[in-house]
Amino acid sequence: MTTPEIDTPETGITPGGTSGAFRDVLSKDHARRGKPPLHFVDMTPAQRIEKAAELGLPKFRVKQLANHYFGHFDVNAAEFTDFPAAKRDEAAAAFFPQLITEVTRQVADEGTTIKTLWKLFDGSLIESVLMRYPTRTTLCISSQVGCGMGCPFCATGKLGLTRNMSTGEIVEQVRVAAKMMRDGEVAGGEGRLSNIVFMGMGEPMGNYNSVLSAVRQISAMPPEGFGISARNITVSTVGVVPGTKKLTAEGIPVRLAVSLHAPSDELRDELVPMNKRFNTTQVLDAAHDYWLASKRRVSIEYALMRGINDQAEHAQLLAKRLNHYGDNWAHVNPIPLNPIEGSKWTASKPEDEKQFLEILHRAGITATLRDTRGQDIDGACGQLAAKER
């Protein structure tokens, strides 16, 4: 009797807990068997044409499918009136397998914030959050099932890493949200999805190839993509320096967001375990290099925690570290900590938040206190835990 081969998913740039000073925190369900079904967006143009030929379809039918998917957010091939009726079901099964299935939908902020819990092919759960503002609509998407970074104040980090998500699983979150906006399913009527942030579950740089493929297809114009400007896409990282360097070399004008959370190595070692592999100097150097190459100001994300990292001395040191580079290269987003169940970490006092901002502003640092949308449905930063309600 032969032992069945277990398909271990790639762990991207981080070595998945096998080496280095930092080890990814793996969940008990890490490396489930099997891969997600291959979706249209997972295929190269050549693979799409080859798959169509297997179904007896000419090359131009692939472009029709792309127009339906990217141009109309549609995967219901039964209604593709421009497609041969006898081939619709076959084409749907071959190109548009269902990768994410809605489990629950929670609504907050008078209907302008919607958090969706999705079930993937293997039973894994992820979440995305759609937020409508007066001048834009932003979707926060997940790129991994769980997260291996182990930040103690983050609900997702407590889950550990189960596996990377496929490009199809990532992009499907965007398609569904874009369709919701077009169809007027979000308070405020019909509209357009304008911004994407890779700030949901997972470390995007730990799933680099799938994330980059998703970015390219989200930003390409139809029928190659959804036509959401790369300048309106934010890719976040806790400081995976090789990923930041790779992204710099791509030359795609996305915004880089660095989850710093502490101005010194001593404190950041406690708050962000990845700092033991790539310290604050390495992280900030790589982020500043991104600014030099792209001329896109880097977002420095900083969760304010009462008595931990929110005092005057922390703000002063943060300003000094950022001003060391001598140009207006960073925008700081202090974020009132969103509490998670059973955590010792709590939000800062309002007066400390105010003082923190004032110190940064006096030092010439651009800084804006981040909005905490969706907090009452555990949909705000650091609260995504993919729990069924």
Side-chain angles (χ1 to χ4, degrees):
M1 177 178 167
T2 58
T3 304
E5 183 179 329
I6 294 177
D7 182 19
T8 303
E10 297 175 4
T11 53
I13 285 169
T14 64
T18 58
S19 64
F22 169 83
R23 282 170 166 64
D24 294 334
V25 179
L26 306 181
S27 80
K28 59 181 173 55
D29 296 321
H30 178 66
R32 293 169 184 261
R33 289 187 60 192
K35 287 186 177 180
L38 200 66
H39 190 277
F40 188 82
V41 301
D42 295 311
M43 302 177 191
T44 65
Q47 286 174 323
R48 294 170 185 172
I49 292 168
E50 185 180 337
K51 177 65 73 174
E54 289 173 11
L55 301 180
L57 295 169
K59 188 161 78 169
F60 77 89
R61 295 295 183 191
V62 172
K63 188 169 183 179
Q64 286 182 311
L65 293 173
N67 270 318
H68 281 288
Y69 188 84
F70 290 115
H72 303 284
F73 319 126
D74 194 3
V75 293
N76 186 8
E79 296 178 1
F80 292 178
T81 55
D82 60 350
F83 212 80
K87 293 290 185 179
R88 291 175 192 171
D89 288 346
E90 263 189 297
F95 289 104
F96 302 132
Q98 185 158 350
L99 298 181
I100 64 175
T101 303
E102 183 176 317
V103 178
T104 59
R105 186 184 293 192
Q106 292 177 278
V107 179
D109 303 316
E110 299 180 330
T112 59
T113 299
I114 299 174
K115 183 178 80 165
T116 306
L117 178 68
W118 303 102
K119 183 166 286 188
L120 309 184
F121 84 101
D122 58 356
S124 295
L125 298 172
I126 58 141
E127 291 178 316
S128 60
V129 184
L130 183 61
M131 298 161 283
R132 187 173 197 159
Y133 298 90
T135 59
R136 70 186 189 281
T137 300
T138 298
L139 177 68
C140 178
I141 59 175
S142 295
S143 56
Q144 293 181 319
V145 179
C147 182
M149 298 298 101
C151 301
F153 55 88
C154 176
T156 314
K158 286 183 171 294
L159 298 175
L161 175 65
T162 295
R163 67 170 174 86
N164 281 337
M165 292 170 61
S166 68
T167 300
E169 290 171 324
I170 295 169
V171 172
E172 271 289 273
Q173 297 170 77
V174 179
R175 180 191 67 83
V176 174
K179 187 173 186 296
M180 287 171 62
M181 285 299 298
R182 184 200 65 192
D183 296 346
E185 293 182 33
V186 183
E190 295 176 8
R192 181 178 177 274
L193 179 63
S194 60
N195 294 66
I196 305 295
V197 294
F198 283 82
M199 292 182 171
M201 301 176 68
E203 163 56 51
M205 299 301 185
N207 188 15
Y208 186 89
N209 291 340
S210 293
V211 166
L212 194 73
S213 176
V215 165
R216 291 189 187 281
Q217 293 183 77
I218 292 166
S219 60
M221 294 303 294
E224 280 79 41
F226 294 124
I228 297 173
S229 171
R231 299 182 72 84
N232 290 346
I233 299 174
T234 299
V235 178
S236 69
T237 180
V238 298
V240 181
V241 169
T244 302
K245 290 181 176 179
K246 285 185 72 173
L247 189 64
T248 302
E250 302 287 354
I252 304 173
V254 297
R255 184 173 298 283
L256 174 68
V258 176
S259 297
L260 194 66
H261 305 313
S264 68
D265 286 325
E266 183 182 15
L267 181 55
R268 197 167 189 264
D269 280 351
E270 180 184 356
L271 299 180
V272 182
M274 178 59 76
N275 200 67
K276 294 168 187 172
R277 188 185 293 168
F278 306 113
N279 65 31
T280 54
T281 299
Q282 294 171 295
V283 170
L284 292 175
D285 281 353
H288 185 255
D289 286 345
Y290 187 84
W291 147 258
L292 291 175
S294 68
K295 289 298 180 258
R296 302 284 336 263
R297 192 182 285 174
V298 175
S299 292
I300 302 295
E301 309 294 308
Y302 195 102
L304 291 168
M305 305 172 212
R306 184 176 301 187
I308 303 292
N309 67 349
D310 63 349
Q311 297 304 296
E313 66 200 69
H314 302 116
Q316 290 159 358
L317 181 55
L318 177 61
K320 181 181 177 182
R321 298 293 303 275
L322 298 181
N323 281 334
H324 159 77
Y325 298 92
D327 47 19
N328 188 23
W329 68 283
H331 181 278
V332 179
N333 286 317
I335 309 162
L337 183 73
N338 298 301
I340 60 173
E341 191 177 339
S343 174
K344 69 175 183 178
W345 316 93
T346 58
S348 299
K349 297 174 183 176
E351 57 267 31
D352 288 337
E353 292 176 1
K354 184 170 180 287
Q355 175 185 247
F356 199 94
L357 272 175
E358 287 174 349
I359 291 170
L360 293 179
H361 289 159
R362 284 200 301 270
I365 303 289
T366 308
T368 311
L369 195 67
R370 175 79 78 79
D371 184 15
T372 54
R373 291 283 288 267
Q375 191 179 63
D376 55 333
I377 55 171
D378 290 340
C381 290
Q383 289 187 315
L384 301 187
K387 291 188 291 188
E388 295 193 57
R389 302 290 170 183

